[in-house]
PDB file of all heavy atoms in Angstrom:
ATOM      1  N   THR A   1     -49.327 108.551  44.781  1.00  0.00           N
ATOM      2  CA  THR A   1     -48.456 109.451  45.462  1.00  0.00           C
ATOM      3  C   THR A   1     -47.258 109.686  44.584  1.00  0.00           C
ATOM      4  O   THR A   1     -46.509 108.829  44.208  1.00  0.00           O
ATOM      5  CB  THR A   1     -47.931 108.761  46.732  1.00  0.00           C
ATOM      6  OG1 THR A   1     -49.032 108.303  47.438  1.00  0.00           O
ATOM      7  CG2 THR A   1     -47.207 109.659  47.619  1.00  0.00           C
ATOM      8  N   LEU A   2     -47.118 110.996  44.148  1.00  0.00           N
ATOM      9  CA  LEU A   2     -46.164 111.386  43.060  1.00  0.00           C
ATOM     10  C   LEU A   2     -45.082 112.317  43.573  1.00  0.00           C
ATOM     11  O   LEU A   2     -45.368 113.198  44.383  1.00  0.00           O
ATOM     12  CB  LEU A   2     -46.948 112.036  41.978  1.00  0.00           C
ATOM     13  CG  LEU A   2     -48.154 111.281  41.375  1.00  0.00           C
ATOM     14  CD1 LEU A   2     -49.083 112.088  40.574  1.00  0.00           C
ATOM     15  CD2 LEU A   2     -47.647 110.066  40.585  1.00  0.00           C
ATOM     16  N   THR A   3     -43.933 112.145  42.905  1.00  0.00           N
ATOM     17  CA  THR A   3     -42.815 113.072  43.143  1.00  0.00           C
ATOM     18  C   THR A   3     -42.312 113.489  41.785  1.00  0.00           C
ATOM     19  O   THR A   3     -42.006 112.610  40.938  1.00  0.00           O
ATOM     20  CB  THR A   3     -41.625 112.474  43.864  1.00  0.00           C
ATOM     21  OG1 THR A   3     -42.132 111.861  45.126  1.00  0.00           O
ATOM     22  CG2 THR A   3     -40.513 113.410  44.126  1.00  0.00           C
ATOM     23  N   VAL A   4     -42.323 114.874  41.488  1.00  0.00           N
ATOM     24  CA  VAL A   4     -41.839 115.319  40.147  1.00  0.00           C
ATOM     25  C   VAL A   4     -40.568 116.130  40.265  1.00  0.00           C
ATOM     26  O   VAL A   4     -40.396 116.823  41.284  1.00  0.00           O
ATOM     27  CB  VAL A   4     -43.020 116.112  39.474  1.00  0.00           C
ATOM     28  CG1 VAL A   4     -44.184 115.202  39.118  1.00  0.00           C
ATOM     29  CG2 VAL A   4     -43.390 117.357  40.285  1.00  0.00           C
ATOM     30  N   THR A   5     -39.749 116.193  39.111  1.00  0.00           N
ATOM     31  CA  THR A   5     -38.629 116.974  39.162  1.00  0.00           C
ATOM     32  C   THR A   5     -38.843 118.342  38.519  1.00  0.00           C
ATOM     33  O   THR A   5     -38.105 119.268  38.643  1.00  0.00           O
ATOM     34  CB  THR A   5     -37.535 116.317  38.248  1.00  0.00           C
ATOM     35  OG1 THR A   5     -38.038 116.109  36.864  1.00  0.00           O
ATOM     36  CG2 THR A   5     -37.140 114.973  38.891  1.00  0.00           C
ATOM     37  N   GLN A   6     -40.065 118.531  37.923  1.00  0.00           N
ATOM     38  CA  GLN A   6     -40.524 119.868  37.380  1.00  0.00           C
ATOM     39  C   GLN A   6     -41.996 119.903  37.211  1.00  0.00           C
ATOM     40  O   GLN A   6     -42.659 118.909  37.059  1.00  0.00           O
ATOM     41  CB  GLN A   6     -39.821 119.952  35.939  1.00  0.00           C
ATOM     42  CG  GLN A   6     -40.068 121.291  35.313  1.00  0.00           C
ATOM     43  CD  GLN A   6     -39.502 121.386  33.894  1.00  0.00           C
ATOM     44  OE1 GLN A   6     -38.496 120.824  33.649  1.00  0.00           O
ATOM     45  NE2 GLN A   6     -40.189 122.090  32.992  1.00  0.00           N
ATOM     46  N   GLY A   7     -42.527 121.091  37.592  1.00  0.00           N
ATOM     47  CA  GLY A   7     -43.941 121.237  37.355  1.00  0.00           C
ATOM     48  C   GLY A   7     -44.758 120.927  38.643  1.00  0.00           C
ATOM     49  O   GLY A   7     -44.137 120.738  39.729  1.00  0.00           O
ATOM     50  N   ARG A   8     -45.987 120.598  38.391  1.00  0.00           N
ATOM     51  CA  ARG A   8     -46.915 120.148  39.457  1.00  0.00           C
ATOM     52  C   ARG A   8     -47.699 119.002  39.049  1.00  0.00           C
ATOM     53  O   ARG A   8     -48.151 118.942  37.806  1.00  0.00           O
ATOM     54  CB  ARG A   8     -47.938 121.313  39.845  1.00  0.00           C
ATOM     55  CG  ARG A   8     -47.246 122.573  40.383  1.00  0.00           C
ATOM     56  CD  ARG A   8     -48.394 123.540  40.790  1.00  0.00           C
ATOM     57  NE  ARG A   8     -49.352 123.756  39.820  1.00  0.00           N
ATOM     58  CZ  ARG A   8     -49.201 124.666  38.805  1.00  0.00           C
ATOM     59  NH1 ARG A   8     -48.120 125.343  38.648  1.00  0.00           N
ATOM     60  NH2 ARG A   8     -50.209 124.841  37.928  1.00  0.00           N
ATOM     61  N   ALA A   9     -47.885 117.996  39.910  1.00  0.00           N
ATOM     62  CA  ALA A   9     -48.687 116.827  39.553  1.00  0.00           C
ATOM     63  C   ALA A   9     -49.794 116.632  40.683  1.00  0.00           C
ATOM     64  O   ALA A   9     -49.539 116.897  41.838  1.00  0.00           O
ATOM     65  CB  ALA A   9     -47.777 115.498  39.588  1.00  0.00           C
ATOM     66  N   SER A  10     -50.939 116.251  40.218  1.00  0.00           N
ATOM     67  CA  SER A  10     -52.111 115.995  41.135  1.00  0.00           C
ATOM     68  C   SER A  10     -52.842 114.804  40.598  1.00  0.00           C
ATOM     69  O   SER A  10     -52.869 114.455  39.378  1.00  0.00           O
ATOM     70  CB  SER A  10     -52.910 117.203  41.213  1.00  0.00           C
ATOM     71  OG  SER A  10     -53.474 117.495  39.967  1.00  0.00           O
ATOM     72  N   PHE A  11     -53.538 114.173  41.523  1.00  0.00           N
ATOM     73  CA  PHE A  11     -54.442 113.070  41.249  1.00  0.00           C
ATOM     74  C   PHE A  11     -55.761 113.334  41.793  1.00  0.00           C
ATOM     75  O   PHE A  11     -55.986 113.597  43.074  1.00  0.00           O
ATOM     76  CB  PHE A  11     -53.896 111.760  41.913  1.00  0.00           C
ATOM     77  CG  PHE A  11     -54.796 110.569  41.497  1.00  0.00           C
ATOM     78  CD1 PHE A  11     -54.904 110.055  40.249  1.00  0.00           C
ATOM     79  CD2 PHE A  11     -55.563 109.969  42.463  1.00  0.00           C
ATOM     80  CE1 PHE A  11     -55.718 108.931  39.914  1.00  0.00           C
ATOM     81  CE2 PHE A  11     -56.410 108.919  42.220  1.00  0.00           C
ATOM     82  CZ  PHE A  11     -56.448 108.421  40.792  1.00  0.00           C
ATOM     83  N   ASP A  12     -56.868 113.384  40.983  1.00  0.00           N
ATOM     84  CA  ASP A  12     -58.233 113.565  41.416  1.00  0.00           C
ATOM     85  C   ASP A  12     -58.883 112.069  41.709  1.00  0.00           C
ATOM     86  O   ASP A  12     -59.096 111.394  40.762  1.00  0.00           O
ATOM     87  CB  ASP A  12     -59.012 114.314  40.311  1.00  0.00           C
ATOM     88  CG  ASP A  12     -60.377 114.699  40.869  1.00  0.00           C
ATOM     89  OD1 ASP A  12     -61.059 113.999  41.607  1.00  0.00           O
ATOM     90  OD2 ASP A  12     -60.763 115.812  40.454  1.00  0.00           O
ATOM     91  N   SER A  13     -59.081 111.831  42.970  1.00  0.00           N
ATOM     92  CA  SER A  13     -59.622 110.481  43.375  1.00  0.00           C
ATOM     93  C   SER A  13     -61.072 110.277  42.848  1.00  0.00           C
ATOM     94  O   SER A  13     -61.531 109.183  42.902  1.00  0.00           O
ATOM     95  CB  SER A  13     -59.593 110.320  44.856  1.00  0.00           C
ATOM     96  OG  SER A  13     -60.210 111.320  45.500  1.00  0.00           O
ATOM     97  N   VAL A  14     -61.803 111.366  42.546  1.00  0.00           N
ATOM     98  CA  VAL A  14     -63.152 111.246  42.003  1.00  0.00           C
ATOM     99  C   VAL A  14     -63.219 110.809  40.552  1.00  0.00           C
ATOM    100  O   VAL A  14     -63.786 109.873  40.095  1.00  0.00           O
ATOM    101  CB  VAL A  14     -64.030 112.561  42.304  1.00  0.00           C
ATOM    102  CG1 VAL A  14     -65.340 112.345  41.738  1.00  0.00           C
ATOM    103  CG2 VAL A  14     -64.060 112.835  43.796  1.00  0.00           C
ATOM    104  N   THR A  15     -62.463 111.685  39.733  1.00  0.00           N
ATOM    105  CA  THR A  15     -62.432 111.333  38.254  1.00  0.00           C
ATOM    106  C   THR A  15     -61.394 110.362  37.852  1.00  0.00           C
ATOM    107  O   THR A  15     -61.362 109.857  36.684  1.00  0.00           O
ATOM    108  CB  THR A  15     -62.226 112.739  37.515  1.00  0.00           C
ATOM    109  OG1 THR A  15     -60.857 113.210  37.906  1.00  0.00           O
ATOM    110  CG2 THR A  15     -63.200 113.747  37.871  1.00  0.00           C
ATOM    111  N   ARG A  16     -60.429 110.021  38.821  1.00  0.00           N
ATOM    112  CA  ARG A  16     -59.311 109.081  38.528  1.00  0.00           C
ATOM    113  C   ARG A  16     -58.319 109.743  37.566  1.00  0.00           C
ATOM    114  O   ARG A  16     -57.646 108.936  36.786  1.00  0.00           O
ATOM    115  CB  ARG A  16     -59.757 107.773  38.082  1.00  0.00           C
ATOM    116  CG  ARG A  16     -60.775 107.025  39.045  1.00  0.00           C
ATOM    117  CD  ARG A  16     -60.182 106.512  40.285  1.00  0.00           C
ATOM    118  NE  ARG A  16     -60.843 105.497  40.921  1.00  0.00           N
ATOM    119  CZ  ARG A  16     -61.854 105.653  41.673  1.00  0.00           C
ATOM    120  NH1 ARG A  16     -62.414 106.820  41.842  1.00  0.00           N
ATOM    121  NH2 ARG A  16     -62.518 104.572  42.278  1.00  0.00           N
ATOM    122  N   VAL A  17     -58.246 111.058  37.416  1.00  0.00           N
ATOM    123  CA  VAL A  17     -57.421 111.634  36.454  1.00  0.00           C
ATOM    124  C   VAL A  17     -56.076 112.152  37.137  1.00  0.00           C
ATOM    125  O   VAL A  17     -56.211 112.918  38.181  1.00  0.00           O
ATOM    126  CB  VAL A  17     -58.078 112.755  35.735  1.00  0.00           C
ATOM    127  CG1 VAL A  17     -57.149 113.595  34.827  1.00  0.00           C
ATOM    128  CG2 VAL A  17     -59.168 112.323  34.824  1.00  0.00           C
ATOM    129  N   LEU A  18     -54.921 111.684  36.567  1.00  0.00           N
ATOM    130  CA  LEU A  18     -53.750 112.188  37.020  1.00  0.00           C
ATOM    131  C   LEU A  18     -53.236 113.340  36.065  1.00  0.00           C
ATOM    132  O   LEU A  18     -53.226 113.140  34.879  1.00  0.00           O
ATOM    133  CB  LEU A  18     -52.630 111.112  37.025  1.00  0.00           C
ATOM    134  CG  LEU A  18     -51.218 111.360  37.552  1.00  0.00           C
ATOM    135  CD1 LEU A  18     -50.634 109.966  37.936  1.00  0.00           C
ATOM    136  CD2 LEU A  18     -50.364 112.091  36.621  1.00  0.00           C
ATOM    137  N   LEU A  19     -52.962 114.476  36.617  1.00  0.00           N
ATOM    138  CA  LEU A  19     -52.605 115.712  35.841  1.00  0.00           C
ATOM    139  C   LEU A  19     -51.191 116.163  36.195  1.00  0.00           C
ATOM    140  O   LEU A  19     -50.835 116.341  37.390  1.00  0.00           O
ATOM    141  CB  LEU A  19     -53.576 116.775  36.039  1.00  0.00           C
ATOM    142  CG  LEU A  19     -53.724 117.923  34.972  1.00  0.00           C
ATOM    143  CD1 LEU A  19     -54.174 117.345  33.678  1.00  0.00           C
ATOM    144  CD2 LEU A  19     -54.595 118.980  35.377  1.00  0.00           C
ATOM    145  N   TRP A  20     -50.344 116.194  35.222  1.00  0.00           N
ATOM    146  CA  TRP A  20     -48.996 116.695  35.448  1.00  0.00           C
ATOM    147  C   TRP A  20     -48.718 117.916  34.536  1.00  0.00           C
ATOM    148  O   TRP A  20     -48.628 117.751  33.266  1.00  0.00           O
ATOM    149  CB  TRP A  20     -47.970 115.505  35.071  1.00  0.00           C
ATOM    150  CG  TRP A  20     -46.562 115.950  35.400  1.00  0.00           C
ATOM    151  CD1 TRP A  20     -46.013 116.996  36.042  1.00  0.00           C
ATOM    152  CD2 TRP A  20     -45.321 115.218  34.816  1.00  0.00           C
ATOM    153  NE1 TRP A  20     -44.624 116.960  36.065  1.00  0.00           N
ATOM    154  CE2 TRP A  20     -44.340 115.981  35.319  1.00  0.00           C
ATOM    155  CE3 TRP A  20     -45.156 114.169  34.040  1.00  0.00           C
ATOM    156  CZ2 TRP A  20     -42.890 115.539  34.934  1.00  0.00           C
ATOM    157  CZ3 TRP A  20     -43.886 113.709  33.607  1.00  0.00           C
ATOM    158  CH2 TRP A  20     -42.839 114.374  34.179  1.00  0.00           C
ATOM    159  N   ASP A  21     -48.721 119.066  35.070  1.00  0.00           N
ATOM    160  CA  ASP A  21     -48.429 120.300  34.447  1.00  0.00           C
ATOM    161  C   ASP A  21     -46.977 120.665  34.455  1.00  0.00           C
ATOM    162  O   ASP A  21     -46.324 121.093  35.507  1.00  0.00           O
ATOM    163  CB  ASP A  21     -49.300 121.435  35.038  1.00  0.00           C
ATOM    164  CG  ASP A  21     -49.327 122.715  34.234  1.00  0.00           C
ATOM    165  OD1 ASP A  21     -48.324 122.877  33.320  1.00  0.00           O
ATOM    166  OD2 ASP A  21     -50.158 123.550  34.424  1.00  0.00           O
ATOM    167  N   ILE A  22     -46.335 120.482  33.372  1.00  0.00           N
ATOM    168  CA  ILE A  22     -44.791 120.525  33.310  1.00  0.00           C
ATOM    169  C   ILE A  22     -44.352 121.972  32.928  1.00  0.00           C
ATOM    170  O   ILE A  22     -43.413 122.465  33.529  1.00  0.00           O
ATOM    171  CB  ILE A  22     -44.222 119.578  32.304  1.00  0.00           C
ATOM    172  CG1 ILE A  22     -44.501 118.155  32.756  1.00  0.00           C
ATOM    173  CG2 ILE A  22     -42.716 119.775  32.106  1.00  0.00           C
ATOM    174  CD1 ILE A  22     -44.199 117.070  31.729  1.00  0.00           C
ATOM    175  N   GLY A  23     -45.059 122.566  32.019  1.00  0.00           N
ATOM    176  CA  GLY A  23     -44.622 123.898  31.563  1.00  0.00           C
ATOM    177  C   GLY A  23     -43.598 123.774  30.453  1.00  0.00           C
ATOM    178  O   GLY A  23     -43.741 122.943  29.462  1.00  0.00           O
ATOM    179  N   LYS A  24     -42.525 124.436  30.494  1.00  0.00           N
ATOM    180  CA  LYS A  24     -41.417 124.446  29.543  1.00  0.00           C
ATOM    181  C   LYS A  24     -40.389 123.346  29.794  1.00  0.00           C
ATOM    182  O   LYS A  24     -39.966 123.226  30.894  1.00  0.00           O
ATOM    183  CB  LYS A  24     -40.769 125.852  29.469  1.00  0.00           C
ATOM    184  CG  LYS A  24     -39.811 126.111  28.325  1.00  0.00           C
ATOM    185  CD  LYS A  24     -39.023 127.405  28.490  1.00  0.00           C
ATOM    186  CE  LYS A  24     -39.903 128.567  28.361  1.00  0.00           C
ATOM    187  NZ  LYS A  24     -39.166 129.902  28.317  1.00  0.00           N
ATOM    188  N   ILE A  25     -40.026 122.677  28.738  1.00  0.00           N
ATOM    189  CA  ILE A  25     -39.000 121.594  28.838  1.00  0.00           C
ATOM    190  C   ILE A  25     -37.630 122.148  28.682  1.00  0.00           C
ATOM    191  O   ILE A  25     -37.240 122.794  27.644  1.00  0.00           O
ATOM    192  CB  ILE A  25     -39.292 120.458  27.909  1.00  0.00           C
ATOM    193  CG1 ILE A  25     -40.585 119.732  28.225  1.00  0.00           C
ATOM    194  CG2 ILE A  25     -38.099 119.438  27.913  1.00  0.00           C
ATOM    195  CD1 ILE A  25     -40.931 118.586  27.379  1.00  0.00           C
ATOM    196  N   ASP A  26     -36.698 121.855  29.732  1.00  0.00           N
ATOM    197  CA  ASP A  26     -35.352 122.169  29.533  1.00  0.00           C
ATOM    198  C   ASP A  26     -34.588 120.932  29.003  1.00  0.00           C
ATOM    199  O   ASP A  26     -34.596 119.952  29.706  1.00  0.00           O
ATOM    200  CB  ASP A  26     -34.723 122.641  30.893  1.00  0.00           C
ATOM    201  CG  ASP A  26     -33.277 122.935  30.888  1.00  0.00           C
ATOM    202  OD1 ASP A  26     -32.708 122.847  29.721  1.00  0.00           O
ATOM    203  OD2 ASP A  26     -32.665 123.265  31.840  1.00  0.00           O
ATOM    204  N   PRO A  27     -34.149 120.994  27.757  1.00  0.00           N
ATOM    205  CA  PRO A  27     -33.463 119.729  27.270  1.00  0.00           C
ATOM    206  C   PRO A  27     -32.352 119.184  28.004  1.00  0.00           C
ATOM    207  O   PRO A  27     -32.012 118.013  27.957  1.00  0.00           O
ATOM    208  CB  PRO A  27     -33.028 120.141  25.783  1.00  0.00           C
ATOM    209  CG  PRO A  27     -33.663 121.423  25.495  1.00  0.00           C
ATOM    210  CD  PRO A  27     -33.960 122.093  26.775  1.00  0.00           C
ATOM    211  N   THR A  28     -31.668 120.020  28.748  1.00  0.00           N
ATOM    212  CA  THR A  28     -30.506 119.544  29.623  1.00  0.00           C
ATOM    213  C   THR A  28     -30.905 118.819  30.926  1.00  0.00           C
ATOM    214  O   THR A  28     -30.093 118.139  31.397  1.00  0.00           O
ATOM    215  CB  THR A  28     -29.580 120.726  30.021  1.00  0.00           C
ATOM    216  OG1 THR A  28     -30.363 121.672  30.794  1.00  0.00           O
ATOM    217  CG2 THR A  28     -29.080 121.490  28.766  1.00  0.00           C
ATOM    218  N   LYS A  29     -32.138 119.022  31.260  1.00  0.00           N
ATOM    219  CA  LYS A  29     -32.650 118.376  32.508  1.00  0.00           C
ATOM    220  C   LYS A  29     -34.035 117.967  32.263  1.00  0.00           C
ATOM    221  O   LYS A  29     -35.073 118.705  32.475  1.00  0.00           O
ATOM    222  CB  LYS A  29     -32.542 119.313  33.632  1.00  0.00           C
ATOM    223  CG  LYS A  29     -32.811 118.662  35.050  1.00  0.00           C
ATOM    224  CD  LYS A  29     -32.792 119.684  36.204  1.00  0.00           C
ATOM    225  CE  LYS A  29     -33.203 118.980  37.407  1.00  0.00           C
ATOM    226  NZ  LYS A  29     -33.316 119.992  38.548  1.00  0.00           N
ATOM    227  N   LEU A  30     -34.299 116.667  31.711  1.00  0.00           N
ATOM    228  CA  LEU A  30     -35.583 116.285  31.311  1.00  0.00           C
ATOM    229  C   LEU A  30     -36.566 116.072  32.550  1.00  0.00           C
ATOM    230  O   LEU A  30     -36.092 115.485  33.533  1.00  0.00           O
ATOM    231  CB  LEU A  30     -35.595 114.978  30.543  1.00  0.00           C
ATOM    232  CG  LEU A  30     -34.777 115.026  29.200  1.00  0.00           C
ATOM    233  CD1 LEU A  30     -34.742 113.697  28.572  1.00  0.00           C
ATOM    234  CD2 LEU A  30     -35.287 116.143  28.306  1.00  0.00           C
ATOM    235  N   PRO A  31     -37.715 116.555  32.487  1.00  0.00           N
ATOM    236  CA  PRO A  31     -38.732 116.329  33.584  1.00  0.00           C
ATOM    237  C   PRO A  31     -39.065 114.921  33.806  1.00  0.00           C
ATOM    238  O   PRO A  31     -39.269 114.154  32.855  1.00  0.00           O
ATOM    239  CB  PRO A  31     -39.884 117.158  33.179  1.00  0.00           C
ATOM    240  CG  PRO A  31     -39.746 117.489  31.736  1.00  0.00           C
ATOM    241  CD  PRO A  31     -38.366 117.316  31.388  1.00  0.00           C
ATOM    242  N   GLY A  32     -39.159 114.520  35.104  1.00  0.00           N
ATOM    243  CA  GLY A  32     -39.516 113.118  35.380  1.00  0.00           C
ATOM    244  C   GLY A  32     -40.585 113.156  36.564  1.00  0.00           C
ATOM    245  O   GLY A  32     -40.798 114.109  37.366  1.00  0.00           O
ATOM    246  N   CYS A  33     -41.355 112.033  36.509  1.00  0.00           N
ATOM    247  CA  CYS A  33     -42.443 111.859  37.519  1.00  0.00           C
ATOM    248  C   CYS A  33     -42.360 110.416  37.991  1.00  0.00           C
ATOM    249  O   CYS A  33     -42.507 109.555  37.174  1.00  0.00           O
ATOM    250  CB  CYS A  33     -43.772 112.211  36.895  1.00  0.00           C
ATOM    251  SG  CYS A  33     -45.247 111.890  38.019  1.00  0.00           S
ATOM    252  N   LYS A  34     -42.193 110.227  39.302  1.00  0.00           N
ATOM    253  CA  LYS A  34     -42.234 108.856  39.877  1.00  0.00           C
ATOM    254  C   LYS A  34     -43.279 108.790  40.894  1.00  0.00           C
ATOM    255  O   LYS A  34     -43.582 109.800  41.589  1.00  0.00           O
ATOM    256  CB  LYS A  34     -40.830 108.510  40.375  1.00  0.00           C
ATOM    257  CG  LYS A  34     -39.753 108.266  39.326  1.00  0.00           C
ATOM    258  CD  LYS A  34     -38.482 107.735  40.043  1.00  0.00           C
ATOM    259  CE  LYS A  34     -37.438 107.486  38.980  1.00  0.00           C
ATOM    260  NZ  LYS A  34     -36.163 106.968  39.534  1.00  0.00           N
ATOM    261  N   GLY A  35     -43.777 107.571  41.226  1.00  0.00           N
ATOM    262  CA  GLY A  35     -44.712 107.519  42.316  1.00  0.00           C
ATOM    263  C   GLY A  35     -45.264 106.158  42.588  1.00  0.00           C
ATOM    264  O   GLY A  35     -44.948 105.137  41.671  1.00  0.00           O
ATOM    265  N   SER A  36     -46.055 105.969  43.550  1.00  0.00           N
ATOM    266  CA  SER A  36     -46.614 104.631  43.860  1.00  0.00           C
ATOM    267  C   SER A  36     -48.130 104.820  43.619  1.00  0.00           C
ATOM    268  O   SER A  36     -48.763 105.794  43.757  1.00  0.00           O
ATOM    269  CB  SER A  36     -46.385 104.203  45.329  1.00  0.00           C
ATOM    270  OG  SER A  36     -46.778 105.305  46.178  1.00  0.00           O
ATOM    271  N   ILE A  37     -48.793 103.685  43.293  1.00  0.00           N
ATOM    272  CA  ILE A  37     -50.180 103.642  42.975  1.00  0.00           C
ATOM    273  C   ILE A  37     -50.926 102.721  44.016  1.00  0.00           C
ATOM    274  O   ILE A  37     -50.411 101.635  44.246  1.00  0.00           O
ATOM    275  CB  ILE A  37     -50.444 103.124  41.546  1.00  0.00           C
ATOM    276  CG1 ILE A  37     -49.781 103.959  40.568  1.00  0.00           C
ATOM    277  CG2 ILE A  37     -51.963 103.005  41.279  1.00  0.00           C
ATOM    278  CD1 ILE A  37     -49.730 103.276  39.103  1.00  0.00           C
ATOM    279  N   ALA A  38     -51.954 103.331  44.662  1.00  0.00           N
ATOM    280  CA  ALA A  38     -52.738 102.423  45.598  1.00  0.00           C
ATOM    281  C   ALA A  38     -54.003 101.959  44.975  1.00  0.00           C
ATOM    282  O   ALA A  38     -54.765 102.728  44.305  1.00  0.00           O
ATOM    283  CB  ALA A  38     -53.103 103.348  46.752  1.00  0.00           C
ATOM    284  N   LEU A  39     -54.185 100.634  45.047  1.00  0.00           N
ATOM    285  CA  LEU A  39     -55.368 100.009  44.428  1.00  0.00           C
ATOM    286  C   LEU A  39     -56.328  99.583  45.466  1.00  0.00           C
ATOM    287  O   LEU A  39     -56.045  99.391  46.651  1.00  0.00           O
ATOM    288  CB  LEU A  39     -55.045  98.674  43.616  1.00  0.00           C
ATOM    289  CG  LEU A  39     -54.117  98.870  42.382  1.00  0.00           C
ATOM    290  CD1 LEU A  39     -53.733  97.533  41.880  1.00  0.00           C
ATOM    291  CD2 LEU A  39     -54.912  99.590  41.300  1.00  0.00           C
ATOM    292  N   GLN A  40     -57.605  99.439  45.147  1.00  0.00           N
ATOM    293  CA  GLN A  40     -58.732  98.943  46.080  1.00  0.00           C
ATOM    294  C   GLN A  40     -58.354  97.587  46.452  1.00  0.00           C
ATOM    295  O   GLN A  40     -57.952  96.728  45.640  1.00  0.00           O
ATOM    296  CB  GLN A  40     -60.064  98.928  45.344  1.00  0.00           C
ATOM    297  CG  GLN A  40     -60.627 100.448  45.095  1.00  0.00           C
ATOM    298  CD  GLN A  40     -61.854 100.444  44.313  1.00  0.00           C
ATOM    299  OE1 GLN A  40     -62.441  99.353  43.959  1.00  0.00           O
ATOM    300  NE2 GLN A  40     -62.465 101.542  44.028  1.00  0.00           N
TER     301      GLN A  40
END
């Protein structure tokens, strides 16, 4: 479960791949991604 300050983030539960598409980086406001991980 993810919260990002820039771009889009998604998690594919089949392939287990987390993808964070940020785009262009603004040096004055660095992109961040925080979240929790659920385990079996």
Side-chain angles (χ1 to χ4, degrees):
T1 307
L2 306 165
T3 304
V4 296
T5 60
Q6 184 182 326
R8 296 185 312 276
S10 61
F11 179 74
D12 189 322
S13 56
V14 178
T15 60
R16 306 289 203 278
V17 171
L18 187 158
L19 201 66
W20 181 19
D21 189 340
I22 297 170
K24 187 187 294 186
I25 292 182
D26 179 1
T28 61
K29 188 184 176 188
L30 299 180
C33 175
K34 289 186 177 183
S36 58
I37 303 168
L39 292 173
Q40 291 174 0

